[in-house]
Amino acid sequence: MDTIEMTPTKVREKWDKGVRGTRSEREQASVNSAFIRNKQWVYWNRGTGRLEELPRSPQRVRSSVPRIGPSTRRIMSKLTRREIVFDVPPKSPDDAAVRSSRIAEAALAEVHRRDDWETARVDHANCVWEAGVAGICVEWDHRVGDEVLTDEQGQTIRTGEVKLTVCSLHEIAFEPGVRDGERARYWIRGQALPPDEVQSMYGLPEAPKPDARAVDTIYRLAEQSEQGEQTPLVMVLTYYERPMNGSEGRVMTVIGEQVIEDAPWPFPFTDRLNIALATVDTVHGRWIGHTPVTDAVPVQAVYNASWSSIIEHLKLAGNARLWVPMGAVDDIEELTDTAGEAVEYNPINGREPEYKTPPSMPDWWIRQPGMLEDALDDILSVHDISRGEAPTGVESGIALSILSENDDTPVGSLAKSLGECWGRVATMVLRLWAQNVQETRKAIVMVGGGVPFMQEWTGGDLDEEAVAIVPLDAVMPRSRAAQAAYAMQLFDRGIITSARSLAKVADLPDQDDLIEGIDPDSARAQRENYWMSTGAARTVDVIDDHANHIGIHVDFVRSERYEQLDEATQLIVRQHVIAHEIYAAQQAAAQAQAAGFSPLAAMLPTEQTPVLPNENLAAAAAMQAAAPGQPMMDPAMVPEPDDAPPPEQQPVPTQNPTSEDE
């Protein structure tokens, strides 16, 4: 089946139908956005199709006490506190699949840092929270990247790069009635952009004329100034239709009555559209979602009215009134409401001016704002623990963790949805790279301690069927204070015994600087791990706590990072561990001899200080004596010399302390 002819008129008709299908959701999203930004005396006027301010009387008090906005900032801070990370599980256990997986993870980490995906992530999370749903559009932008050549028409051909665009509910249109937006037949992206930007973006000979449709359907209120003027914008519609039932699919960009671009489906995937959606609470049978902000808006409006009533009562009837007999005060207009004001009067019939106390407010009236606050907290899942206030009488770290988890659970579904959405985005990015990247690119990944690691790759190194995921633990909100209190309890009970483990379990900020200050020996061992992972051998110093270093290095050998290293780099790490074992054994022997004990007993393996077999110790010690200060080979790979003296008689190699900075 051939592709159905598509014209600018048909694209606009499809856009209008899709927009009408989400009319009520878009109107509510506009109200939600206004309340989050503390514009709280507004409503949506369907007669004019715009957000308008409620009529008011200058004599009446109109108070705004924002609760939705501050709660939104707390929730967004929780969701985006830690940077997002991507895992690409290998499809099989063979070396090629594992290598392709590691290259994909490095490339994603590089583009995440270079293109500032964190900013897009925050923007996307806010759009989802305001409207209940928002999307991320994935495209291949052939106008960016390194210049490759210039064609016969003078157009510059570049390498291109992936482009991500956050799309709010106002900028997305699907066929009415669609249940799964990502696997629909088509979708349309509507953008309201300045004319000059549109001209530059698409290389038009002149700037297009502003289109009122752009403001009417997307930025009716948000782009208006205080004087009521509208920013001139141009409506740009991009129609994405994926291949189905023999149709090759297409991507068409329309401005007014002009087709700017029209090309076949350019994506390597055909089972889905190039958009990933995230929702707060799913709505069965629809691609949209529901947000708690919609439920909180009416309560916030009543909360504002309640405070306005109390303040108005305070203004008009909250102070004591002075009762003055007629003629008792010469000039009544000179009296004010200043507290303790002295009044001169002329007694009449023995009476004098007196104050009457203001009427007392009913108890339910006084308690009403507090009850509404509790209702808002329950709706938005933000209580004292989320605001950093420990409930009265609660000091246990475990109790704080339970309360924090209780607040985080309702937004956990949002965190999960956002993480899965970014996982699908990363999957599409990998497949676009595999299809389009022909040149060699470099991915610079920062490993522990800020040490850069460079990975070269091309599209051919990536698996065309790779799937990226975002670990749930990387996006799930956690209370750092509760985690720290819980870790301190484990430390007090002796379950955690080192400062390094405490900092890791407590998720303390600036862990490297903290460990450097309280445990410099462990910090040195960690730096050695970082440098050895880059292929730089590190020497052993007599001032090292060898048992501590061995434990830290052995933990590194058990890590996934070590498994990714090549054999030569792994050998450097093992040689370093052996050197520490030799020094530890020699120090133990010297101490045992000084104390009058057998050196053999002191060299027996212990749980804290693992040592090598005697024959390996002898071979390694001989190598160290022959070349002091040099990285040693693995003694298991070197034949033991025939004339090697027993290990306890080996001369102790001398070595000048060498700074890592050297």
Side-chain angles (χ1 to χ4, degrees):
M1 182 179 67
D2 297 333
T3 303
I4 300 177
E5 182 181 359
M6 188 64 60
T7 63
T9 301
K10 290 184 178 180
V11 172
R12 288 198 306 274
E13 289 177 354
K14 290 179 177 294
W15 166 261
D16 291 339
K17 289 181 180 179
V19 167
R20 286 196 296 269
T22 58
R23 176 183 176 182
S24 60
E25 288 79 11
R26 291 187 301 104
E27 293 173 355
Q28 186 61 52
S30 299
V31 176
N32 293 350
S33 178
F35 269 72
I36 289 174
R37 288 158 181 79
N38 199 26
K39 298 178 181 179
Q40 300 184 359
W41 292 87
V42 296
Y43 73 104
W44 185 268
N45 189 335
R46 288 199 170 184
T48 60
R50 63 187 302 165
L51 204 61
E52 296 182 353
E53 186 177 7
L54 287 168
R56 63 171 300 179
S57 172
Q59 290 77 25
R60 301 300 302 273
V61 175
R62 177 177 287 182
S63 172
S64 295
V65 185
R67 301 282 295 188
I68 298 179
S71 297
T72 295
R73 288 190 290 273
R74 291 187 180 94
I75 292 172
M76 291 299 105
S77 298
K78 283 184 179 181
L79 294 174
T80 59
R81 175 181 299 165
R82 290 174 293 170
E83 289 192 355
I84 197 170
V85 295
F86 300 97
D87 287 346
V88 183
K91 296 179 61 177
S92 60
D94 60 276
D95 293 341
V98 173
R99 179 178 180 274
S100 176
S101 173
R102 299 299 174 255
I103 290 176
E105 291 177 354
L108 288 172
E110 165 69 12
V111 73
H112 170 269
R113 176 190 58 83
R114 186 194 64 206
D115 293 350
D116 193 16
W117 281 7
E118 283 300 311
T119 299
R121 178 189 172 202
V122 173
D123 184 20
H124 177 246
N126 277 285
C127 290
V128 174
W129 180 251
E130 289 178 1
V133 64
I136 303 175
C137 175
V138 183
E139 299 175 288
W140 184 262
D141 191 353
H142 56 80
R143 293 182 290 266
V144 300
D146 298 332
E147 182 177 344
V148 178
L149 53 89
T150 303
D151 59 15
E152 298 178 355
Q153 288 76 26
Q155 298 292 331
T156 301
I157 299 178
R158 299 182 179 273
T159 56
E161 185 52 277
V162 169
K163 179 182 178 182
L164 304 184
T165 306
V166 176
C167 301
S168 68
L169 175 62
H170 305 286
E171 301 170 310
I172 302 173
F174 289 101
E175 188 174 6
V178 165
R179 299 170 68 94
D180 186 352
E182 296 184 5
R183 285 175 170 76
R185 187 164 57 96
Y186 70 84
W187 80 285
I188 303 175
R189 182 182 67 182
Q191 291 179 292
L193 303 173
D196 293 339
E197 182 178 346
V198 174
Q199 179 185 8
S200 175
M201 181 183 301
Y202 296 100
L204 303 179
E206 60 182 12
K209 295 181 179 179
D211 184 3
R213 179 190 300 269
V215 180
D216 289 340
T217 59
I218 297 180
Y219 296 113
R220 163 62 81 175
L221 178 70
E223 292 298 319
Q224 293 181 4
S225 64
E226 295 181 357
Q227 290 77 19
E229 299 177 358
Q230 294 182 348
T231 303
L233 299 173
V234 174
M235 191 68 173
V236 180
L237 298 177
T238 306
Y239 175 79
Y240 300 92
E241 179 185 341
R242 68 185 180 95
M244 288 185 67
N245 300 326
S247 171
E248 65 177 359
R250 70 193 312 162
V251 176
M252 176 186 290
T253 303
V254 174
I255 300 177
E257 296 295 332
Q258 184 179 3
V259 176
I260 304 302
E261 293 179 347
D262 189 4
W265 181 256
F267 305 101
F269 43 84
T270 59
D271 60 332
R272 58 165 298 123
L273 293 169
N274 61 316
I275 185 173
L277 299 172
T279 59
V280 183
D281 297 323
T282 59
V283 177
H284 176 69
R286 303 195 66 184
W287 63 272
I288 60 172
H290 178 76
T291 173
V293 180
T294 300
D295 303 327
V297 164
V299 182
Q300 174 74 72
V302 177
Y303 182 68
N304 292 336
S306 178
W307 270 114
S308 299
S309 176
I310 292 175
I311 294 174
E312 193 167 37
H313 177 87
L314 179 65
K315 175 184 176 183
L316 300 178
N319 61 325
R321 298 297 175 178
L322 181 64
W323 287 74
V324 181
M326 184 176 297
V329 178
D330 294 335
D331 193 353
I332 190 68
E333 295 181 356
E334 294 182 357
L335 293 178
T336 67
D337 59 355
T338 303
E341 180 179 16
V343 180
E344 295 182 356
Y345 68 96
N346 296 319
I348 299 178
N349 299 327
R351 296 184 58 188
E352 60 186 27
E354 60 179 346
Y355 279 98
K356 293 294 184 181
T357 59
S360 60
M361 299 174 61
D363 182 65
W364 64 267
W365 192 2
I366 298 175
R367 292 187 294 106
Q368 187 179 37
M371 293 186 292
L372 293 172
E373 288 178 2
D374 294 339
L376 285 170
D377 289 345
D378 290 338
I379 293 173
L380 300 174
S381 300
V382 177
H383 297 89
D384 291 342
I385 189 69
S386 296
R387 288 189 286 268
E389 302 173 4
T392 304
V394 178
E395 298 179 355
S396 168
I398 297 178
L400 291 174
S401 298
I402 294 173
L403 292 175
S404 177
E405 182 180 357
N406 184 56
D407 262 12
D408 295 341
T409 299
V411 297
S413 60
L414 173 58
K416 185 174 183 292
S417 179
L418 292 173
E420 292 176 346
C421 176
W422 277 98
R424 296 192 295 273
V425 168
T427 299
M428 289 188 280
V429 169
L430 291 175
R431 297 184 181 182
L432 282 172
W433 279 339
Q435 172 183 269
N436 297 303
V437 177
Q438 306 297 327
E439 73 283 359
T440 300
R441 296 189 176 186
K442 295 180 180 180
I444 301 177
V445 183
M446 307 303 290
V447 297
V451 179
F453 173 73
M454 182 175 294
Q455 176 71 62
E456 294 185 349
W457 62 279
T458 64
D461 296 324
L462 303 176
D463 185 356
E464 295 181 354
E465 300 298 326
V467 175
I469 62 174
V470 176
L472 184 60
D473 185 64
V475 294
M476 190 63 67
R478 291 190 303 179
S479 171
R480 178 167 287 174
Q483 186 72 13
Y486 179 68
M488 287 303 301
Q489 285 189 338
L490 296 178
F491 184 78
D492 294 338
R493 296 177 182 180
I495 301 175
I496 297 177
T497 57
S498 67
R500 180 168 59 93
S501 300
L502 175 63
K504 185 175 182 179
V505 174
D507 192 21
L508 298 179
D510 301 326
Q511 294 185 21
D512 293 336
D513 294 338
L514 177 65
I515 296 175
E516 181 77 30
I518 63 178
D519 191 359
D521 188 77
S522 296
R524 171 180 165 86
Q526 288 182 333
R527 291 196 303 270
E528 289 175 347
N529 285 340
Y530 303 150
W531 284 110
M532 288 188 295
S533 66
T534 64
R538 314 305 291 173
T539 57
V540 178
D541 202 326
V542 294
I543 64 173
D544 292 335
D545 182 347
H546 302 293
N548 184 39
H549 276 242
I550 290 172
I552 295 175
H553 296 325
V554 169
D555 287 344
F556 175 66
V557 171
R558 298 190 181 104
S559 68
E560 182 181 4
R561 174 74 178 112
Y562 177 84
E563 296 173 356
Q564 300 175 14
L565 302 177
D566 55 75
E567 293 182 0
T569 306
Q570 289 181 351
L571 183 59
I572 291 176
V573 179
R574 291 189 175 276
Q575 291 173 357
H576 189 84
V577 175
I578 293 171
H580 276 297
E581 291 173 341
I582 293 173
Y583 270 74
Q586 291 171 349
Q587 288 181 358
Q591 293 174 1
Q593 289 177 353
F597 294 103
S598 171
L600 295 178
M603 294 178 61
L604 290 177
T606 62
E607 185 176 353
Q608 293 79 13
T609 307
V611 299
L612 297 175
N614 287 343
E615 58 271 16
N616 285 349
L617 282 173
M623 295 169 54
Q624 178 70 357
Q630 300 298 322
M632 296 179 294
M633 294 181 60
D634 190 342
M637 302 175 61
V638 182
E640 182 177 357
D642 297 335
D643 56 348
E648 60 271 19
Q649 299 178 9
Q650 288 285 351
V652 178
T654 59
Q655 175 179 334
N656 294 328
T658 303
S659 171
E660 293 163 350
D661 296 332
E662 293 177 63

